[in-house]
Amino acid sequence: MKALEEVKATQAERAQDYVKSLYEQVVERNPNEVEFQQAVKEVLDSLIPVLVKNPTYIKQAVVERIIEPERLISFRVPWVDDEGNVKVNRGFRVQFNSAIGPYKGGLRFHPSVNASIIKFLGFEQIFKNSLTGQPIGAGKGGSDFDPKGKSDMEIMRFCQSFMTELSKHIGPDTDVPAGDIGVGAREIGYLFGQYKKLKGAYEAGVLTGKGLGYGGSLGRKEATGYGTVYFVEEMLKDKGLSFKDSTVVVSGSGNVSIYAMEKAMELGAKVIACSDSSGYVFDPNGIDLDLVKRLKEEENKRIYEYVKERPKARFEVGCAGIWSIPCDIALPCATQNEIDQEAAETLISNGIKAIGEGANMPSSQEAIDTFLENKVLFAPAKAANAGGVAVSALEMAQNSSRVAWTKEEVNEKLQSIMKDIYRKTTEASEEYGESENLVLGANIAGFVKVADAMIEQGVI
Ligand code: GLU
């Protein structure tokens, strides 16, 4: 008996050392890419118990293979602004993993975009896409182009130039981009138009998040936000809680945030704050979602305009302060690392019960550790925000079979996918001994499917 325990301890030590050396290698090979290093570290730490149980993964170097993108494309994007000046941005596409399907993942247009951001997003996409149960591999792309303040024609010219290069690398069976921060239906339209012109063929499934008139799916726009709330509702239900009568703070006011607020309200929650990169609005009577939709979806305005029409609401400059508002449930739906340890501690001292990550990697590692140590229910991004890409996969399925499903059909499928992700995540957490740690469960459940597919396909 003692001998067995010793063997187990040695195996655990070996797995820990292995993971540590892999992480050191990642830091050395990807210097200065802090977001990518952060995303890899979180997954590597989760995988230790899996590696102890299945040493084949070590023997087959699956983790080493998974952390190295299959391909990283970087390209020049020259375009002409309205004054006739030539501008140059940098474009990226990371094709991270194609073990279970064509590369799939959004495009982000934001000045902060660089190789590290694209690689962290592409890496997370491997596990997220796997969790959806849909046949999609992982990719991500974007540019450091800043869409803020640009005219419609400038956006169009930029998208056309971006696609002129990107079109060489994508296709409905190879790589299927979609939107992310700064890329919505308008940009997808311009990108699709240029792709179609270059290919001389109507390949509807090359992009998702398309307009409803040319191959888009009903329910795609709402999918990420709704999906996050469906996932959190499952997690709450397990503890005898629910969104009903709870107070909710949702950061952001883009696509994910707006539809997370909508679904939370539908389930009986009171949403009292949202934000954009200029600051946040706190509306103690409950956010007027129609107003947010008009300002953001129609008028392209900043969130501070909200208080002009809602005198009882307050606007505060800066984003971090939103986490000082006492609430039962927080849904970070803006961007990476928006909740640091200090914000996590403030949320906890104000009595937070649950966190649902709608954005990608919105909590820093220290914040996650703080939530878990304090037994806050925590729905990690890879699982909780997978609804968007899941419905993208449904859009691909509709495009392939040249049909269009009703909104109800899509929503029903989304709901069952989110329930399934919750089940897989909790089962993996339980199997590996930490039933309350859904970060561990999501990473493990996402990993195993991809790792097994890679092994079955040989040394690829
Ligand atoms: N950008 C979204 C994500 O982070 C959606 C990607 C997609 O639909 O392909 O998952």
Side-chain angles (χ1 to χ4, degrees):
M1 199 59 204
K2 195 158 180 280
L4 188 66
E5 261 161 37
E6 265 168 31
V7 171
K8 273 192 184 163
T10 326
Q11 278 172 342
E13 248 170 59
R14 204 180 298 153
Q16 260 159 10
D17 289 346
Y18 174 67
V19 156
K20 193 164 163 269
S21 76
L22 282 188
Y23 180 64
E24 282 164 5
Q25 193 178 310
V26 166
V27 172
E28 199 182 303
R29 275 188 167 169
N30 307 273
N32 307 318
E33 297 188 355
V34 287
E35 295 84 4
F36 179 56
Q37 294 169 6
Q38 178 185 343
V40 171
K41 179 145 195 350
E42 185 209 286
V43 171
L44 286 180
D45 288 344
S46 300
L47 293 183
I48 294 170
V50 186
L51 300 175
V52 172
K53 212 167 169 183
N54 310 284
T56 327
Y57 293 140
I58 301 184
K59 195 159 170 271
Q60 293 274 349
V62 187
V63 188
E64 266 152 288
R65 288 192 264 158
I66 270 187
I67 57 183
E68 187 66 27
E70 289 179 20
R71 196 169 298 106
L72 172 65
I73 304 149
S74 167
F75 51 96
R76 179 171 71 207
V77 190
W79 56 282
V80 181
D81 74 9
D82 287 344
E83 278 75 50
N85 305 306
V86 178
K87 304 274 180 185
V88 181
N89 284 95
R90 185 171 283 177
F92 295 97
R93 185 74 183 164
V94 67
Q95 298 184 327
F96 226 115
N97 197 296
S98 61
I100 61 170
Y103 309 110
K104 180 85 198 84
L107 298 171
R108 176 177 291 193
F109 292 170
H110 191 271
S112 65
V113 163
N114 55 31
S116 174
I117 298 280
I118 295 302
K119 280 162 71 180
F120 114 66
L121 290 164
F123 182 70
E124 299 240 305
Q125 210 83 42
I126 303 174
F127 309 91
K128 179 193 328 199
N129 293 5
S130 161
L131 280 170
T132 67
Q134 301 292 311
I136 41 178
K140 200 87 188 191
S143 173
D144 57 2
F145 172 74
D146 187 359
K148 253 191 227 105
K150 301 290 188 296
S151 72
D152 198 41
M153 286 300 101
E154 287 176 327
I155 300 275
M156 183 184 78
R157 286 195 293 274
F158 177 81
C159 287
Q160 290 177 339
S161 178
F162 185 87
M163 183 50 89
T164 301
E165 184 60 31
L166 187 69
S167 64
K168 296 170 188 164
H169 309 284
I170 62 173
D173 294 315
T174 42
D175 184 355
V176 182
D180 196 83
I181 294 172
V183 179
R186 175 180 59 166
E187 290 73 19
I188 293 293
Y190 293 148
L191 291 163
F192 184 73
Q194 183 73 355
Y195 179 86
K196 182 164 65 69
K197 187 171 175 173
L198 289 164
K199 294 283 157 168
Y202 205 102
E203 297 176 6
V206 70
L207 290 167
T208 60
K210 296 181 294 294
L212 296 177
Y214 64 95
S217 173
L218 284 161
R220 172 63 189 89
K221 185 172 71 169
E222 297 85 354
T224 315
Y226 279 15
T228 301
V229 172
Y230 291 146
F231 186 94
V232 174
E233 184 73 347
E234 286 300 301
M235 179 175 77
L236 293 170
K237 210 160 66 183
D238 255 358
K239 304 283 169 200
L241 303 166
S242 97
F243 270 97
K244 195 162 174 15
D245 299 324
S246 62
T247 306
V248 180
V249 166
V250 185
S251 62
S253 49
N255 199 39
V256 182
S257 170
I258 286 177
Y259 294 97
M261 291 196 266
E262 183 166 280
K263 188 51 76 180
M265 287 174 186
E266 240 177 79
L267 295 180
K270 185 177 180 188
V271 181
I272 52 168
C274 66
S275 62
D276 68 11
S277 56
S278 67
Y280 67 92
V281 289
F282 171 50
D283 193 338
N285 295 327
I287 289 285
D288 177 347
L289 195 57
D290 288 336
L291 176 55
V292 177
K293 281 189 185 176
R294 171 155 64 73
L295 292 173
K296 289 292 173 182
E297 292 185 334
E298 290 166 34
E299 298 170 0
N300 227 332
K301 288 203 172 128
R302 310 300 294 158
I303 200 71
Y304 53 70
E305 303 279 346
Y306 179 94
V307 294
K308 289 190 185 152
E309 299 185 41
R310 297 272 290 186
K312 291 216 172 88
R314 200 176 81 213
F315 172 75
E316 298 285 344
V317 179
C319 305
I322 195 168
W323 308 121
S324 64
I325 302 170
C327 59
D328 302 311
I329 301 165
L331 304 177
C333 295
T335 195
Q336 66 271 0
N337 289 326
E338 54 173 311
I339 301 187
D340 59 10
Q341 185 167 357
E342 198 187 324
E345 280 164 2
T346 310
L347 283 162
I348 290 165
S349 60
N350 285 335
I352 191 81
K353 294 192 188 87
I355 308 281
E357 295 192 314
N360 289 313
M361 205 167 76
S363 313
S364 71
Q365 188 58 54
E366 296 75 24
I368 297 176
D369 294 342
T370 309
F371 289 133
L372 294 178
E373 275 158 26
N374 285 276
K375 304 264 174 267
V376 175
L377 300 176
F378 185 80
K382 292 184 198 82
N385 78 24
V389 76
V391 173
S392 275
L394 302 183
E395 185 173 330
M396 289 163 73
Q398 293 170 77
N399 294 154
S400 300
S401 48
R402 300 181 195 273
V403 296
W405 299 333
T406 63
K407 196 166 186 174
E408 290 68 35
E409 269 176 280
V410 175
N411 194 37
E412 227 169 77
K413 288 186 167 58
L414 169 64
Q415 233 168 321
S416 93
I417 289 171
M418 296 315 294
K419 278 192 185 166
D420 195 48
I421 296 176
Y422 181 73
R423 182 190 52 77
K424 282 184 210 158
T425 303
T426 45
E427 277 175 10
S429 308
E430 272 155 30
E431 186 182 342
Y432 289 93
E434 283 193 58
S435 60
E436 304 292 302
N437 185 345
L438 301 190
V439 177
L440 191 101
N443 287 337
I444 292 176
F447 168 81
V448 168
K449 182 179 176 192
V450 177
D452 291 348
M454 286 174 77
I455 291 174
E456 283 173 37
Q457 292 171 25
V459 179
I460 47 148

